[in-house]
Short mmCIF file of all heavy atoms in Angstrom, two decimals:
data_model
loop_
_atom_site.label_atom_id
_atom_site.label_comp_id
_atom_site.label_asym_id
_atom_site.label_seq_id
_atom_site.Cartn_x
_atom_site.Cartn_y
_atom_site.Cartn_z
N GLU M 8 -1.29 -76.28 -18.70
CA GLU M 8 -0.37 -77.33 -19.04
C GLU M 8 -0.27 -77.43 -20.56
O GLU M 8 0.62 -78.04 -21.18
CB GLU M 8 -0.87 -78.69 -18.44
CG GLU M 8 -0.74 -78.70 -16.94
CD GLU M 8 -1.13 -79.99 -16.35
OE1 GLU M 8 -1.04 -81.01 -17.17
OE2 GLU M 8 -1.36 -80.09 -15.15
N SER M 9 -1.19 -76.79 -21.32
CA SER M 9 -1.17 -76.76 -22.80
C SER M 9 -1.81 -75.38 -23.19
O SER M 9 -2.51 -74.74 -22.40
CB SER M 9 -1.96 -77.87 -23.36
OG SER M 9 -3.37 -77.73 -23.01
N LEU M 10 -1.60 -75.00 -24.45
CA LEU M 10 -2.26 -73.83 -24.99
C LEU M 10 -3.82 -74.02 -24.97
O LEU M 10 -4.54 -73.10 -24.71
CB LEU M 10 -1.79 -73.55 -26.46
CG LEU M 10 -0.41 -72.94 -26.56
CD1 LEU M 10 -0.03 -72.81 -28.04
CD2 LEU M 10 -0.35 -71.60 -25.87
N GLU M 11 -4.24 -75.27 -25.16
CA GLU M 11 -5.66 -75.53 -25.16
C GLU M 11 -6.21 -75.25 -23.78
O GLU M 11 -7.35 -74.67 -23.68
CB GLU M 11 -5.98 -76.98 -25.55
CG GLU M 11 -5.74 -77.31 -27.04
CD GLU M 11 -4.25 -77.57 -27.36
OE1 GLU M 11 -3.42 -77.61 -26.41
OE2 GLU M 11 -3.99 -77.71 -28.54
N GLU M 12 -5.49 -75.61 -22.77
CA GLU M 12 -6.05 -75.32 -21.36
C GLU M 12 -6.05 -73.83 -21.12
O GLU M 12 -7.03 -73.32 -20.52
CB GLU M 12 -5.16 -76.04 -20.33
CG GLU M 12 -5.69 -75.88 -18.91
CD GLU M 12 -4.82 -76.55 -17.84
OE1 GLU M 12 -3.78 -77.21 -18.22
OE2 GLU M 12 -5.13 -76.37 -16.68
N ALA M 13 -5.00 -73.15 -21.47
CA ALA M 13 -4.91 -71.73 -21.31
C ALA M 13 -6.10 -70.99 -22.06
O ALA M 13 -6.66 -70.07 -21.55
CB ALA M 13 -3.58 -71.17 -21.67
N TYR M 14 -6.38 -71.54 -23.29
CA TYR M 14 -7.49 -71.01 -24.11
C TYR M 14 -8.81 -71.25 -23.40
O TYR M 14 -9.68 -70.44 -23.39
CB TYR M 14 -7.41 -71.66 -25.43
CG TYR M 14 -8.56 -71.22 -26.42
CD1 TYR M 14 -8.51 -70.02 -26.97
CD2 TYR M 14 -9.56 -72.00 -26.63
CE1 TYR M 14 -9.47 -69.54 -27.83
CE2 TYR M 14 -10.57 -71.60 -27.50
CZ TYR M 14 -10.52 -70.41 -28.10
OH TYR M 14 -11.53 -69.91 -28.92
N LEU M 15 -8.93 -72.47 -22.76
CA LEU M 15 -10.23 -72.80 -22.01
C LEU M 15 -10.44 -71.74 -20.89
O LEU M 15 -11.58 -71.26 -20.81
CB LEU M 15 -10.15 -74.15 -21.52
CG LEU M 15 -11.29 -74.59 -20.55
CD1 LEU M 15 -12.61 -74.68 -21.27
CD2 LEU M 15 -10.99 -75.86 -19.81
N TYR M 16 -9.37 -71.46 -20.15
CA TYR M 16 -9.57 -70.44 -19.08
C TYR M 16 -9.95 -69.09 -19.66
O TYR M 16 -10.77 -68.47 -19.10
CB TYR M 16 -8.21 -70.35 -18.30
CG TYR M 16 -7.99 -71.52 -17.41
CD1 TYR M 16 -6.78 -72.23 -17.57
CD2 TYR M 16 -8.86 -71.99 -16.53
CE1 TYR M 16 -6.42 -73.29 -16.79
CE2 TYR M 16 -8.55 -73.14 -15.79
CZ TYR M 16 -7.37 -73.82 -15.89
OH TYR M 16 -7.08 -74.93 -15.18
N THR M 17 -9.30 -68.75 -20.76
CA THR M 17 -9.53 -67.40 -21.39
C THR M 17 -10.98 -67.31 -21.90
O THR M 17 -11.68 -66.33 -21.59
CB THR M 17 -8.55 -67.17 -22.50
OG1 THR M 17 -7.21 -67.29 -22.04
CG2 THR M 17 -8.77 -65.83 -23.17
N MET M 18 -11.50 -68.30 -22.58
CA MET M 18 -12.81 -68.32 -23.11
C MET M 18 -13.84 -68.39 -22.03
O MET M 18 -14.90 -67.76 -22.06
CB MET M 18 -13.03 -69.37 -24.16
CG MET M 18 -12.12 -69.20 -25.42
SD MET M 18 -12.15 -67.47 -26.09
CE MET M 18 -13.82 -67.29 -26.55
N SER M 19 -13.59 -69.21 -21.02
CA SER M 19 -14.50 -69.31 -19.89
C SER M 19 -14.66 -68.03 -19.10
O SER M 19 -15.79 -67.58 -18.76
CB SER M 19 -14.12 -70.45 -18.95
OG SER M 19 -14.20 -71.63 -19.59
N LEU M 20 -13.54 -67.36 -18.97
CA LEU M 20 -13.54 -66.02 -18.28
C LEU M 20 -14.32 -65.01 -19.08
O LEU M 20 -15.13 -64.30 -18.61
CB LEU M 20 -12.14 -65.55 -17.99
CG LEU M 20 -12.04 -64.15 -17.39
CD1 LEU M 20 -11.00 -64.19 -16.19
CD2 LEU M 20 -11.64 -63.12 -18.32
N GLU M 21 -14.01 -64.98 -20.39
CA GLU M 21 -14.72 -63.98 -21.27
C GLU M 21 -16.14 -64.31 -21.33
O GLU M 21 -17.03 -63.34 -21.20
CB GLU M 21 -14.13 -64.05 -22.72
CG GLU M 21 -14.78 -63.12 -23.70
CD GLU M 21 -14.73 -61.61 -23.36
OE1 GLU M 21 -14.15 -61.22 -22.34
OE2 GLU M 21 -15.27 -60.86 -24.22
N SER M 22 -16.57 -65.54 -21.32
CA SER M 22 -17.95 -65.88 -21.34
C SER M 22 -18.65 -65.34 -20.05
O SER M 22 -19.76 -64.79 -20.06
CB SER M 22 -18.20 -67.37 -21.45
OG SER M 22 -19.52 -67.78 -21.44
N SER M 23 -17.95 -65.59 -18.94
CA SER M 23 -18.55 -65.11 -17.67
C SER M 23 -18.64 -63.59 -17.56
O SER M 23 -19.62 -63.02 -17.05
CB SER M 23 -17.63 -65.58 -16.50
OG SER M 23 -17.70 -67.04 -16.30
N CYS M 24 -17.64 -62.95 -18.11
CA CYS M 24 -17.66 -61.48 -18.10
C CYS M 24 -18.76 -60.96 -19.05
O CYS M 24 -19.41 -59.84 -18.74
CB CYS M 24 -16.28 -60.96 -18.65
SG CYS M 24 -14.99 -61.12 -17.38
N PHE M 25 -19.02 -61.66 -20.13
CA PHE M 25 -20.15 -61.32 -21.00
C PHE M 25 -21.43 -61.27 -20.22
O PHE M 25 -22.22 -60.34 -20.20
CB PHE M 25 -20.17 -62.31 -22.21
CG PHE M 25 -21.37 -62.08 -23.17
CD1 PHE M 25 -21.30 -61.22 -24.16
CD2 PHE M 25 -22.58 -62.79 -22.86
CE1 PHE M 25 -22.41 -61.03 -25.02
CE2 PHE M 25 -23.62 -62.69 -23.74
CZ PHE M 25 -23.58 -61.74 -24.77
N PHE M 26 -21.70 -62.36 -19.51
CA PHE M 26 -22.94 -62.50 -18.64
C PHE M 26 -22.97 -61.42 -17.63
O PHE M 26 -23.96 -60.79 -17.37
CB PHE M 26 -23.08 -63.85 -18.09
CG PHE M 26 -23.36 -64.95 -19.08
CD1 PHE M 26 -22.47 -66.08 -19.17
CD2 PHE M 26 -24.40 -64.91 -19.94
CE1 PHE M 26 -22.68 -67.08 -20.08
CE2 PHE M 26 -24.61 -65.86 -20.91
CZ PHE M 26 -23.75 -66.97 -20.93
N LEU M 27 -21.89 -61.21 -16.86
CA LEU M 27 -21.84 -60.27 -15.81
C LEU M 27 -22.03 -58.79 -16.27
O LEU M 27 -22.78 -58.10 -15.64
CB LEU M 27 -20.47 -60.39 -15.04
CG LEU M 27 -20.28 -61.59 -14.16
CD1 LEU M 27 -18.86 -61.73 -13.72
CD2 LEU M 27 -21.18 -61.54 -12.91
N TYR M 28 -21.48 -58.51 -17.43
CA TYR M 28 -21.62 -57.13 -17.97
C TYR M 28 -23.12 -56.94 -18.25
O TYR M 28 -23.68 -55.91 -17.95
CB TYR M 28 -20.74 -56.91 -19.20
CG TYR M 28 -21.07 -55.64 -19.86
CD1 TYR M 28 -20.59 -54.42 -19.41
CD2 TYR M 28 -21.88 -55.65 -20.98
CE1 TYR M 28 -20.85 -53.22 -20.06
CE2 TYR M 28 -22.14 -54.42 -21.68
CZ TYR M 28 -21.65 -53.26 -21.14
OH TYR M 28 -21.92 -52.08 -21.73
N HIS M 29 -23.68 -57.86 -18.98
CA HIS M 29 -25.10 -57.70 -19.39
C HIS M 29 -26.04 -57.69 -18.18
O HIS M 29 -27.08 -57.01 -18.20
CB HIS M 29 -25.52 -58.76 -20.48
CG HIS M 29 -24.89 -58.46 -21.78
ND1 HIS M 29 -23.77 -58.89 -22.21
CD2 HIS M 29 -25.38 -57.61 -22.79
CE1 HIS M 29 -23.43 -58.43 -23.42
NE2 HIS M 29 -24.38 -57.57 -23.71
N LEU M 30 -25.77 -58.46 -17.21
CA LEU M 30 -26.59 -58.43 -15.95
C LEU M 30 -26.46 -57.04 -15.28
O LEU M 30 -27.44 -56.60 -14.79
CB LEU M 30 -26.09 -59.57 -15.04
CG LEU M 30 -26.56 -60.93 -15.40
CD1 LEU M 30 -25.95 -62.02 -14.51
CD2 LEU M 30 -28.13 -61.07 -15.32
N GLU M 31 -25.25 -56.53 -15.25
CA GLU M 31 -25.04 -55.21 -14.64
C GLU M 31 -25.91 -54.13 -15.50
O GLU M 31 -26.56 -53.34 -14.88
CB GLU M 31 -23.67 -54.75 -14.69
CG GLU M 31 -22.79 -55.38 -13.60
CD GLU M 31 -21.41 -54.72 -13.50
OE1 GLU M 31 -21.24 -53.56 -13.94
OE2 GLU M 31 -20.58 -55.42 -12.88
#
């Protein structure tokens, strides 16, 4: 609904991917 919300999704996804990659 805003750029801030789209940014929140982007940063949350990237943070999750950071953890998943390192766990792998």
Side-chain angles (χ1 to χ4, degrees):
E8 293 185 19
S9 66
L10 285 174
E11 290 82 5
E12 182 182 358
Y14 179 75
L15 172 69
Y16 291 125
T17 303
M18 294 313 298
S19 294
L20 179 135
E21 177 64 357
S22 179
S23 293
C24 287
F25 175 88
F26 292 124
L27 287 166
Y28 173 77
H29 285 91
L30 284 170
E31 281 189 21

